[in-house]
Amino acid sequence: MTMPTTMATTDIALDQDGHLCDHTIWSPAIAQQLANTLDINLIAEHLEILQQVRAFFVKFNHAPATRPLIKWLQKTLPEQDISNQKLQQLFNTGLVARHVNRLAGLPKPPNCL
């Protein structure tokens, strides 16, 4: 059982790993609050990616791990030339799937540490 915690600035319930307890309350403003913990200022490119990660979740009913995430983004956002390296740079992390899902308001992917 995960114990909900709240973000300092609002009453948004997060699980022990910092993911939203309720993915349906997600908004770009909430994404920015989560991104602040990674020192990321979200721009349109980030938000397009996060929207597609949420679309993956709706279609397949689970948060994507890194490989399926990258394949999905390459297919749905071909103009962005997505790669693991690009996502690492954009989201300021080596834990791409973990943090992209967290910023998209989704649960931690099942095989992430």
Side-chain angles (χ1 to χ4, degrees), residues 69-105:
L69 168 68
I70 291 168
K71 286 186 177 191
W72 176 259
L73 293 174
Q74 287 171 338
K75 181 177 142 188
T76 59
L77 298 172
E79 69 283 358
Q80 287 204 21
D81 195 29
I82 297 292
S83 67
N84 193 33
Q85 293 79 8
K86 180 174 181 175
L87 291 176
Q88 286 178 8
Q89 289 173 342
L90 264 177
F91 290 95
N92 198 25
T93 181
L95 303 171
V96 171
R98 169 100 184 262
H99 290 292
V100 171
N101 279 293
R102 188 168 76 83
L103 297 184

Side-chain angles (χ1 to χ4, degrees), residues 2-105:
T2 57
M3 295 298 297
T5 56
T6 56
M7 294 182 71
T9 55
T10 62
D11 290 332
I12 300 170
L14 302 175
D15 68 15
Q16 66 191 17
D17 296 313
H19 294 254
L20 289 179
C21 290
D22 177 4
H23 70 89
T24 64
I25 67 165
W26 183 89
S27 69
I30 289 173
Q32 183 58 64
Q33 286 184 335
L34 296 169
N36 290 342
T37 66
L38 298 172
D39 293 324
I40 298 171
N41 186 26
L42 297 179
I43 59 172
E45 188 174 19
H46 291 105
L47 293 173
E48 284 180 8
I49 290 169
L50 297 178
Q51 293 287 4
Q52 284 304 319
V53 174
R54 292 181 62 78
F56 180 104
F57 184 81
V58 168
K59 181 169 182 160
F60 300 106
N61 203 29
H62 65 86
T66 303
R67 280 196 181 148
L69 168 68
I70 291 168
K71 286 186 177 191
W72 176 259
L73 293 174
Q74 287 171 338
K75 181 177 142 188
T76 59
L77 298 172
E79 69 283 358
Q80 287 204 21
D81 195 29
I82 297 292
S83 67
N84 193 33
Q85 293 79 8
K86 180 174 181 175
L87 291 176
Q88 286 178 8
Q89 289 173 342
L90 264 177
F91 290 95
N92 198 25
T93 181
L95 303 171
V96 171
R98 169 100 184 262
H99 290 292
V100 171
N101 279 293
R102 188 168 76 83
L103 297 184

